[in-house]
Amino acid sequence: LELDPTEPRARPLIANVDDAGDATFLLPAADWSDLIPELSAHDPLYAYVWTSGLALAKGEATIDVVPIGAVHGRVVDARGAPLVDARVDALATQGGVVVEDYVAATKSDDDGRFELELPPNVPVRICARHDDSLHLMRTADATGRPGAITRLPDLVLADAARLEGIVQRADG
């Protein structure tokens, strides 16, 4: 958790959440009565949470977090080399048929790796493609399990066929 005092000179305070779900911030000695802090929670298996205007006078605040499903994978070409900036989309499916566009989208990094945050227990079709027109699209089905990371096998984008020649009209 990060507590941001919203004061230009103040630095954010960081605290780890224990197994019981509690975090304690050690605040420096000061008058905190007029402070309106911002509190955010960052965890790769939970949706990002941000809140403002918590009252510190009571001494505690509660933030509800929502578990998400995460899918990690890698996009490579037919030779196993990573594809940088490949577009990776997650489309919601029902009975194997796409029913909703873009539940999540991202691009692969320099190692071809990608991470998607998904709504929990929603089946999706992961579609990977590269805008260079030299590779075909690849898909894989997955479901984000709440509070867990699903690792996909490499999405291998096969080389696209390439035609070269001259186009001529029938009359010459």
Side-chain angles (χ1 to χ4, degrees):
L1 292 175
E2 182 176 315
L3 179 69
D4 184 358
T6 64
E7 189 176 303
R9 293 171 303 189
R11 294 176 17 169
L13 304 168
I14 308 293
N16 291 320
V17 179
D18 64 22
D19 292 338
D22 296 325
T24 302
F25 294 97
L26 299 177
L27 301 176
D31 179 12
W32 294 92
S33 59
D34 294 333
L35 185 65
I36 301 175
E38 296 175 351
L39 188 63
S40 59
H42 306 271
D43 186 297
L45 298 178
Y46 292 86
Y48 173 77
V49 175
W50 176 84
T51 186
S52 178
L54 296 173
L56 284 182
K58 295 179 182 176
E60 66 179 62
T62 300
I63 294 180
D64 294 323
V65 294
V66 177
I68 60 168
V71 174
H72 294 187
R74 199 168 79 115
V75 183
V76 298
D77 67 14
R79 290 159 293 290
L83 286 173
V84 178
D85 286 333
R87 183 176 169 89
V88 182
D89 299 318
L91 312 170
T93 62
Q94 189 171 42
V97 177
V98 173
V99 294
E100 183 180 331
D101 287 342
Y102 306 107
V103 172
T106 190
K107 290 201 171 213
S108 60
D109 65 14
D110 291 341
D111 296 321
R113 298 189 187 288
F114 66 89
E115 298 177 6
L116 291 169
E117 293 181 359
L118 304 174
N121 299 317
V122 174
V124 295
R125 176 148 308 135
I126 307 294
C127 300
R129 66 180 182 277
H130 202 273
D131 292 333
D132 65 6
S133 300
L134 301 176
H135 300 91
L136 300 175
M137 183 172 68
R138 175 67 186 227
T139 65
D141 291 333
T143 300
R145 297 184 325 269
I149 296 172
T150 300
R151 298 203 186 278
L152 294 177
D154 284 354
L155 297 173
V156 180
L157 303 189
D159 295 339
R162 200 169 162 177
L163 299 174
E164 291 187 30
I166 299 172
V167 176
Q168 226 171 342
R169 293 176 31 171
D171 61 0

